[in-house]
């Protein structure tokens, strides 16, 4: 089975047997996207907020990254895009802190893709603090400054906030994309709908996001 078909979602989010499929251009709630039962607060004002829940170790997140990055660029200033690195126990804690450290230092745009490549191309585990520190130093980041931020209360607060957001948005698998605190969609949902797999599922996810962003914009008027 294609791994994207195994990716998502928990039972309540799956399309029920026999449910008619929609399409990326006309997505159906419960098939290509989910409407959250409780709208979550956003930090984007009149703009549409997009949040990607992801993890560096996740191969599906790695596959989605270039497609999503291109989509975000095409949106211009009509959206506010954020990422949240999800927790997954001690084995992922260092990677999560790495993400929030780069964010705190204002270096996320510069190094985000490099972290993905370090894990999925160079096969670096980045599972321990010292492994992360060594990578950051080799990448050209001041080691002492990085470690100070990595161990700071600010990064600890971001880690706690990520856990709270996962619970509020009911995130159980990733990558997952939240649109304006109201909708969730993902390549896994598209794959589970039976419409597409692999790269086609990634592109279809972005089509669904186009529809959901347009809907959210219309509702803000």
């Amino acid at each position: 089975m294609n791994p994207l078909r195994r990716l998502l979602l928990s039972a309540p989010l799956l399309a029920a047997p026999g449910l008619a499929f929609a399409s990326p251009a006309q997505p159906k709630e419960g098939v290509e996207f989910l409407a959250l039962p409780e709208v979550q607060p956003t930090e984007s004002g009149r703009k549409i907020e997009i949040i990607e829940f992801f993890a560096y170790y996740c191969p599906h997140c790695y596959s989605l990254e270039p497609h999503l990055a291109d989509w975000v660029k095409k949106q211009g200033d009509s959206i506010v895009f954020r990422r949240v690195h999800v927790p997954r126990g001690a084995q992922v804690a260092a990677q999560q802190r790495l993400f929030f450290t780069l964010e705190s230092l204002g270096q996320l745009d510069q190094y985000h893709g490099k972290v993905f490549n370090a894990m999925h191309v160079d096969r670096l585990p980045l599972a321990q603090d010292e492994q992360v520190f060594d990578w950051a130093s080799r990448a050209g980041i001041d080691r002492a400054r990085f470690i100070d931020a990595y161990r700071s209360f600010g990064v600890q607060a971001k880690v706690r906030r990520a856990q709270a957001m996962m619970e509020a948005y009911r995130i159980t698998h990733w990558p997952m994309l939240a649109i304006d605190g109201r909708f969730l969609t993902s390549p896994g949902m598209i794959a589970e709908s039976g419409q597409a797999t692999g790269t086609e599922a990634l592109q279809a996810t972005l089509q669904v996001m186009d529809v959901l962003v347009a809907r959210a914009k219309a509702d803000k008027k």
Side-chain angles (χ1 to χ4, degrees), residues 36-48:
L36 288 166
E38 297 179 355
V39 176
Q40 298 301 308
T42 62
E43 302 174 7
S44 56
R46 298 294 298 175
K47 295 182 180 181
I48 305 302

Side-chain angles (χ1 to χ4, degrees), residues 116-184:
F116 265 130
N117 287 337
M119 297 204 66
H120 297 278
V121 178
D122 300 332
R123 301 297 180 184
L124 299 179
L126 300 183
Q128 305 294 329
D129 292 349
E130 287 300 325
Q131 292 172 334
V132 170
F133 300 158
D134 289 344
W135 174 85
S137 182
R138 290 194 303 271
I141 304 172
D142 182 87
R143 187 183 185 95
R145 182 168 177 250
F146 182 89
I147 293 175
D148 284 346
Y150 186 90
R151 293 173 172 166
S152 69
F153 289 116
V155 166
Q156 291 179 27
K158 287 175 179 287
V159 169
R160 290 193 298 270
R161 174 62 175 156
Q163 179 64 52
M165 290 184 69
M166 275 191 70
E167 294 170 1
Y169 279 85
R170 305 188 180 195
I171 304 300
T172 59
H173 296 78
W174 41 90
M176 182 71 75
L177 294 143
I179 294 88
D180 214 39
R182 298 172 53 194
F183 309 114
L184 297 176

